[in-house]
Amino acid sequence: MQAHGQLNDLPPVLTAAEQLLATGDIGASETEDRQSRILRALIAIQWSIVQFFTGQAQASLESAQSALRWLPPDVAYIASYSLFYLALSQQATGQEEEALETLNQALREHQAQLNSTARLLLAQTYVYLTAGKLQQVEHTARHLLRIAQQADLAMSQYWAHLMLGLVYYEWNNLYAAAYHFSVVIANRHRAHLWAVQEAMYGLALAYQAQGPGLQARETARALLEWVQGEHNMRDLMTAYAFCGQVALLQDKVEEASQ
């Protein structure tokens, strides 16, 4: 449901899951209690995601903090998931320095665990990108790419390529941008679908910036087909709008209005 953009449908499901957990707490064994705590943390993380993407930054921050309180100390990978949205929520509530400190401290603590490190580095690139600190984005994304290749973390590799593509597009290094976006698209079935969509947006704009032509329109149409295949109505509306934007950039007003 999250991947398909159905965020407004998630709260009843999360509430039902919380109620199910509450009925099984009495007399639980130590193993069951550990599993219950992890499940509560995962539910809190999901609340944080829903709240973050629906503009409830303070609530998202509190849910991420709640998840960390529930987690046993030896589940660093799940903790990195919570820290990801904790940092994004801190930045969204005007606490950028605190967000970076949260991530830097966690990176020091989790440096031996490459999968956790990769997730924390990705969060760091988002914080830097939102702040417009492109040099830091490039440096962090390259570090993320090395870690992801070393640990064979496919999705993290393509997030790193996406971030590098975004940086090079902003720097008007269009060939480098197109390369990194194309790597993501070529590996679309190993990358996160959100990364694929963003790479298609980026590649179309990179082609357009090199001069209006068929490649930009073809990429926009490929994006539309990809999103239609994912049955994601929210992103489908955005994809249609983007196709209209590309058409307007090429002075194709009738096509844009359609």
Side-chain angles (χ1 to χ4, degrees):
M1 291 169 73
Q2 177 191 332
H4 290 165
Q6 298 168 271
L7 297 178
N8 291 332
D9 296 334
L10 279 170
V13 180
L14 295 175
T15 299
E18 289 173 329
Q19 291 171 345
L20 281 172
L21 274 177
T23 61
D25 281 350
I26 300 174
S29 68
E30 185 175 337
T31 300
E32 289 170 335
D33 181 63
R34 171 184 167 82
Q35 292 173 337
S36 175
R37 291 180 68 85
I38 291 173
L39 281 170
R40 286 183 181 279
L42 288 169
I43 291 169
I45 292 167
Q46 195 65 51
W47 274 117
S48 182
I49 294 169
V50 171
Q51 291 156 345
F52 180 80
F53 285 110
T54 54
Q56 304 172 69
Q58 184 60 41
S60 176
L61 176 60
E62 293 168 3
S63 293
Q65 291 170 332
S66 172
L68 289 171
R69 288 193 295 269
W70 279 114
L71 281 175
D74 59 341
V75 283
Y77 182 64
I78 301 176
S80 71
Y81 197 21
S82 182
L83 288 163
F84 187 102
Y85 284 97
L86 175 63
L88 296 191
S89 300
Q90 283 177 319
Q91 185 183 51
T93 53
Q95 305 174 64
E96 182 184 320
E97 291 185 7
E98 290 85 346
L100 291 171
E101 179 54 35
T102 294
L103 294 171
N104 286 328
Q105 181 179 341
L107 282 165
R108 290 191 292 269
E109 294 172 354
H110 299 173
Q111 57 185 321
Q113 302 181 12
L114 296 183
N115 52 2
S116 298
T117 297
R119 178 171 277 158
L120 294 167
L121 287 172
L122 178 58
Q124 203 170 52
T125 64
Y126 269 113
V127 173
Y128 283 137
L129 187 64
T130 303
K133 297 178 179 178
L134 297 183
Q135 288 185 327
Q136 290 91 330
V137 176
E138 183 194 30
H139 174 79
T140 308
R142 289 202 172 279
H143 188 191
L144 171 59
L145 184 58
R146 287 193 297 271
I147 292 288
Q149 290 172 336
Q150 180 181 346
D152 196 26
L153 301 172
M155 289 173 62
S156 294
Q157 288 184 46
Y158 302 121
W159 279 120
H161 279 294
L162 173 66
M163 291 298 181
L164 290 168
L166 293 173
V167 169
Y168 292 132
Y169 176 78
E170 293 296 335
W171 284 345
N172 208 35
N173 187 344
L174 299 176
Y175 291 105
Y179 165 75
H180 287 287
F181 291 141
S182 296
V183 169
V184 179
I185 296 166
N187 295 276
R188 67 186 68 185
H189 298 297
R190 301 184 72 214
H192 194 291
L193 65 91
W194 290 355
V196 176
Q197 289 170 202
E198 290 298 324
M200 286 181 166
Y201 288 126
L203 184 61
L205 290 175
Y207 284 146
Q208 176 65 24
Q210 293 175 33
L214 187 60
Q215 284 181 306
R217 294 200 302 278
E218 287 180 343
T219 305
R221 282 196 290 267
L223 164 70
L224 190 58
E225 291 174 4
W226 170 256
V227 176
Q228 286 173 328
E230 296 298 325
H231 308 291
N232 185 333
M233 289 305 298
R234 185 191 64 171
D235 288 352
L236 184 59
M237 290 186 287
T238 307
Y240 272 118
F242 180 74
C243 289
Q245 178 186 352
V246 171
L248 282 175
L249 289 171
Q250 299 187 0
D251 293 325
K252 297 183 179 297
V253 178
E254 183 177 351
E255 182 179 327
S257 66
Q258 293 171 356

